């Protein structure tokens, strides 16, 4: 799924400031009725994390494993909805302490110029196809990104890309502060191909996230 197609899929998250990665904000916006979808209207299984103290509405009851089994050194959980043995086909990765609060701007207080500068910075330092600022709800903004299928790398340190690396899959990623100030990342794993239907479920679930 390319960045433009992913952004046109957005139905519950509202583009609030600016996006980086190839499409204009007007192309990414839905009408106000769709954008106003309430978290309360999301149906599914209310998952409560006993270890990390959050709740989130999932499309179904997940099988849960520690995040460090999938990503070494990371804190959080993997909420698995579909797998084939050890092959995770569909899951949400919930990471705690996902960014440094002291070094990361308050997404709710950034103006357009500050948002553009921040998005430019994360695009340069991460293998993202695009990134933008969205509303998780009326009081809380987040960074929403899509990982790239192809990434140009500078392997010899001369400041110029000389190798193109290709990824097998893509992920949709959100970075946000919880209602009690925790620093989280919510990531969609959908293999082998990122599907629009799963992006919508992921976005609906993100809207329901609450720290206990």
């Amino acid at each position: 799924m390319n960045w433009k197609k992913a952004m046109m899929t957005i139905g519950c998250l509202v583009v609030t400031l600016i996006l980086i990665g190839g499409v204009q904000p007007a192309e990414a916006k839905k009408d106000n009725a769709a954008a106003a979808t309430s978290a309360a209207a999301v149906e599914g299984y209310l998952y409560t994390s006993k270890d990390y103290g959050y709740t989130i509405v999932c499309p179904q009851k997940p099988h849960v494993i520690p995040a460090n089994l999938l990503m070494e050194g990371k804190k959080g959980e993997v909420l698995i909805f579909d797998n084939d043995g050890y092959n995770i086909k569909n899951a949400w990765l919930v990471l705690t302490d996902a960014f440094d609060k002291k070094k990361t701007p308050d997404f709710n207080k950034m103006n357009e110029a500050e948002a553009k500068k921040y998005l430019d910075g994360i695009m340069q330092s991460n293998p993202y196809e695009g990134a933008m600022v969205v509303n998780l709800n009326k009081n809380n903004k987040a960074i929403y990104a899509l990982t790239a299928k192809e990434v140009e790398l500078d392997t010899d340190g001369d400041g110029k890309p000389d190798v193109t690396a290709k990824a097998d899959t893509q992920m949709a990623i959100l970075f946000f502060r919880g209602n009690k100030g925790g620093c989280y990342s919510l990531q969609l794993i959908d293999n082998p191909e990122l599907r629009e239907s799963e992006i919508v479920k992921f976005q609906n679930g993100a809207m329901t996230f609450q720290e206990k």
Side-chain angles (χ1 to χ4, degrees):
M1 175 176 288
N2 61 35
W3 177 240
K4 182 175 181 179
K5 189 173 182 181
M7 293 305 96
M8 293 299 288
T9 302
I10 291 178
C12 59
L13 302 179
V14 185
V15 181
T16 57
L17 294 176
I18 192 168
L19 60 88
I20 304 294
V23 296
Q24 297 302 312
E27 291 180 285
K29 291 181 179 178
K30 290 282 187 178
D31 59 66
N32 291 336
T37 300
S38 170
V42 177
E43 297 182 356
Y45 177 85
L46 179 62
Y47 173 72
T48 300
S49 173
K50 296 180 180 179
D51 292 328
Y52 294 99
Y54 69 85
T55 62
I56 188 170
V57 177
C58 300
Q60 64 192 60
K61 185 177 180 179
H63 173 62
V64 182
I65 63 172
N68 61 14
L69 294 181
L70 192 63
M71 301 177 70
E72 186 176 355
K74 297 296 184 181
K75 294 172 56 180
E77 298 173 318
V78 186
L79 311 183
I80 302 172
F81 307 115
D82 187 16
N83 66 289
D84 182 8
Y86 291 106
N87 178 30
I88 296 176
K89 299 171 69 175
N90 183 262
W92 296 351
L93 178 61
V94 184
L95 298 181
T96 64
D97 299 330
F99 51 89
D100 189 335
K101 184 183 298 186
K102 295 181 179 179
K103 297 180 181 180
T104 305
D106 186 336
F107 306 143
N108 296 305
K109 297 180 179 179
M110 294 190 300
N111 59 35
E112 185 170 333
E114 292 168 337
K116 185 178 186 305
K117 181 179 180 181
Y118 183 74
L119 292 175
D120 281 336
I122 64 174
M123 285 291 293
Q124 292 173 12
S125 58
N126 293 277
Y128 295 152
E129 186 172 313
M132 68 180 179
V133 179
V134 297
N135 274 351
L136 280 184
N137 55 55
K138 65 180 181 179
N139 298 315
N140 195 25
K141 294 183 174 67
I143 300 299
Y144 187 31
L146 187 72
T147 60
K149 291 275 279 195
E150 293 188 1
V151 182
E152 293 186 337
L153 303 175
D154 174 18
T155 60
D156 56 15
D158 65 354
K160 299 178 181 179
D162 50 77
V163 174
T164 299
K166 294 185 178 182
D168 294 330
T169 60
Q170 288 180 283
M171 296 176 66
I173 300 175
L174 282 163
F175 294 98
F176 59 94
R177 287 175 170 82
N179 50 293
K180 293 187 177 180
C183 300
Y184 294 92
S185 177
L186 183 62
Q187 307 183 14
L188 169 61
I189 300 170
D190 194 34
N191 296 321
E193 193 71 28
L194 198 58
R195 295 168 290 176
E196 293 180 30
S197 59
E198 296 307 314
I199 289 179
V200 171
K201 292 177 186 177
F202 172 73
Q203 293 168 174
N204 283 335
M207 292 174 62
T208 71
F209 187 96
Q210 290 287 320
E211 289 179 290
K212 295 176 61 181

